Amino acid sequence: MWRDLAPLGRHAGSGGYRRYAWTGADTECREWFRRQAEARGLVHEVDRNGNQWAWLGDPLAGDAVVTGSHLDSVPDGGAFDGPLGVVSSFAALDELRRRGAEFTRPLAVTNFVDEEGARFGLACVGSRLAAGQLTAEKARLLRDGDGIGLPQAMEAAGHDPDTLGPDPGRLARIGAFVELHVEQGRALDLSGDPVGVASAIWPHGRWRFDFRGEANHAGTTRLADRRDPMLTYAETVLAARLEARLAGGLATFGKVAVEPNGVNAIPSLVRGWLDARAADQATLDAVVDGVERAAREHAERAGTGLDVVRESFTPVVEFQHALRDEIRRVLSRHGPDDTEDTVPVLGTGAGHDAGILSASVPTAMLFVRNPTGISHSPAEHAAEDDCVAGVIALADVLEGLACS
C-alpha cells in the first residue's frame, strides 16, 4: 500500500507532496482509497461533503467503530502526515482478519477531505462540514489563491457541491472514532516508546494581518517619505517570536502575500497569516493579543494601516477520558511480576479531524514515534518497525472496541 501511494502527488523538485484538495493529485489519492476498499470487499461511500468511507458491516446499524485520517498535504509536505493513519487503518483490518477476529460492531475506514486546508486556507473542511462547525454558506465562499471557489473545484473533480452541509445522521452512526497519526514532535523519541495515546489538542487558530501602506518607486522615494507595510510586517514577525517565548506558546508567520509584488516597488499591501497555539486558552490569548498590540504600535509609528481578521479557531480538545483510558488498558503490557507497562499519554499542538469530531462523537488518537520530530516537510519520517507497532496497536484497539 505504501509503495502504491508514495508517488501520488509527489513533486520531483522538492521531494515533498502537493496533494491539495480537489486537484488531480487528490483525485488519484481518492481513487487509491476506493481501490483499497474494494480489494477488501468493503462498501465504499462518498458522503455529502466529499469524505470517503469504507464499511465492513452494515453502515446503518449504528454504534460503528471508525478509524482513518486524511490523504491531502500541506505544500511540499511529508509522506506520513495523514496517509500513515489511512494506510495503518487498512493494515489493521488485515491484521484482524488474519487473527480471525469476529466483529460485533460495524467498522469503517475513512479519508476526510481537505484536512490541511492548503488550498482554501481553512483546515479540516470535510470534518467541520460534517460536524456542523462550518456552514455550507461559508464553505461556498472559500477561494484558493487563483480565485477558484470550493464549489467549482468540487464540481470539476466530479462531486456535487449542492450537497454540502451538516451530516448528523452519519455521525450518529459512529460509536467511537480512533485516528492514528505520526507524532509531530519528539516526545515519544525522548521517552523511547514507539506508540503513544493523545490526551488533548491545544487550542489554536489562524489570524490574517493586513498591513496597508503606499505603493511607490523603490529607486526614487526617500526613506523618510515611505509608508512601507513590509517593515511593519517584519517587525510583527519578530514580535510574534518574542511574545510566544515570553508566554510559553507558539506563534508562526508562515505565509505572506505582497502587492504589487515587484522587485522595484514599495508594497501597498503585505498580508501575513499568523498561526498561534498554546497549551491553554489563557496563554493563547496572551500570545495573540501581544502580537496584535505590537503590530498596531509598529503600524502607528510607520504610518501604515492594519486590519486583523481571525480566519479560524479551534478551542482546546480533551479527548473522551473513558475511551482514552480504555485504549490505554488495551495497550498496556503486563510483565512477569505483574507490573503494568502503560503507554505514554501526550498532548499535541497540531489540529486533527479527531479534534473536530470530538464534539459529536467519542474520539481518541494514537501517535507513532517520529525520530526527528520534523513534520510538514519532506524530511518527515517514521521507522518501519514503529509503523508496524502502530498497526498492531491500532488493531488491538479496534479488536477491543469492535470485536468484544
Side-chain angles (χ1 to χ4, degrees):
M1 282 188 288
W2 198 253
R3 285 193 299 270
D4 289 343
L5 186 61
L8 305 183
R10 191 168 193 174
H11 188 263
S14 69
Y17 289 89
R18 300 181 181 182
R19 296 167 171 162
Y20 308 145
W22 306 113
T23 63
D26 182 55
T27 298
E28 289 182 323
C29 289
R30 293 169 65 83
E31 176 60 22
W32 172 91
F33 183 95
R34 185 191 64 78
R35 291 197 304 269
Q36 296 302 322
E38 293 180 352
R40 290 165 173 80
L42 308 179
V43 176
H44 176 256
E45 291 183 337
V46 180
D47 68 23
R48 62 188 302 168
N49 297 303
N51 305 308
Q52 292 179 283
W53 303 76
W55 288 94
L56 176 67
D58 183 2
L60 301 178
D63 201 30
V65 176
V66 180
T67 185
S69 192
H70 64 95
L71 294 174
D72 65 314
S73 76
V74 299
D76 290 326
F80 293 81
D81 181 353
L84 180 63
V86 178
V87 171
S88 297
S89 296
F90 283 122
L93 173 58
D94 295 343
E95 168 64 13
L96 290 177
R97 283 174 161 171
R98 184 192 67 79
R99 296 177 186 179
E102 296 184 6
F103 292 87
T104 57
R105 298 166 68 180
L107 178 73
V109 177
T110 187
N111 167 37
F112 283 102
V113 69
D114 202 3
E115 193 270 355
E116 295 290 6
R119 183 173 182 185
F120 299 103
L122 179 64
C124 299
V125 169
S127 55
R128 285 183 192 272
L129 280 165
Q133 297 180 26
L134 173 66
T135 66
E137 292 73 22
K138 289 185 177 180
R140 293 188 180 103
L141 295 176
L142 294 174
R143 296 284 183 276
D144 67 10
D146 296 321
I148 298 173
L150 175 61
Q152 293 93 326
M154 293 178 67
E155 193 168 24
H159 190 82
D160 183 4
D162 292 337
T163 64
L164 287 174
D167 205 350
R170 181 173 294 272
L171 295 187
R173 306 178 196 170
I174 303 174
F177 175 69
V178 181
E179 181 175 4
L180 179 145
H181 205 280
V182 66
E183 188 195 357
Q184 295 167 290
R186 289 190 58 215
L188 292 174
D189 182 59
L190 295 173
S191 71
D193 295 284
V195 178
V197 179
S199 59
I201 296 176
W202 290 5
H204 58 278
R206 298 178 182 183
W207 287 260
R208 192 186 77 234
F209 284 63
D210 293 343
F211 302 93
R212 303 184 186 280
E214 182 179 64
N216 214 327
H217 197 294
T220 60
T221 309
R222 296 191 318 151
L223 295 180
D225 294 336
R226 299 185 180 200
R227 294 176 52 234
D228 187 350
M230 184 64 78
L231 297 180
T232 315
Y233 168 71
E235 290 174 312
T236 302
V237 172
L238 296 176
R241 175 61 178 263
L242 176 62
E243 294 294 334
R245 182 170 61 82
L246 292 176
L250 299 171
T252 307
F253 277 98
K255 179 180 178 180
V256 61
V258 182
E259 296 178 8
N261 204 28
V263 175
N264 59 348
I266 299 167
S268 60
L269 170 67
V270 176
R271 178 169 285 152
W273 281 264
L274 171 69
D275 179 298
R277 305 166 190 245
D280 58 78
Q281 188 62 52
T283 303
L284 179 63
D285 291 342
V287 171
V288 176
D289 291 346
V291 175
E292 182 174 349
R293 182 171 56 252
R296 294 197 182 282
E297 291 172 357
H298 290 305
E300 184 176 357
R301 284 198 296 268
T304 54
L306 172 62
D307 295 314
V308 180
V309 178
R310 189 179 78 175
E311 292 194 336
S312 67
F313 174 73
T314 302
V316 63
V317 173
E318 284 278 353
F319 290 112
Q320 190 192 66
H321 289 194
L323 180 58
R324 182 194 68 193
D325 293 344
E326 173 64 13
I327 288 174
R328 288 194 78 195
R329 185 194 65 77
V330 169
L331 297 181
S332 295
R333 297 290 185 264
H334 293 272
D337 56 356
D338 203 33
T339 58
E340 188 177 60
D341 181 19
T342 59
V343 296
V345 177
L346 54 147
T348 176
H352 301 281
D353 291 310
I356 300 298
L357 297 180
S358 66
S360 304
V361 300
T363 60
M365 290 192 70
L366 299 178
F367 291 123
V368 172
R369 177 166 49 192
N370 180 339
T372 65
I374 295 175
S375 187
H376 284 187
S377 160
E380 182 179 85
H381 179 68
E384 183 174 329
D385 287 349
D386 288 345
C387 293
V388 171
V391 169
I392 299 303
L394 180 60
D396 290 345
V397 169
L398 297 178
E399 186 172 25
L401 294 174
C403 303
S404 57

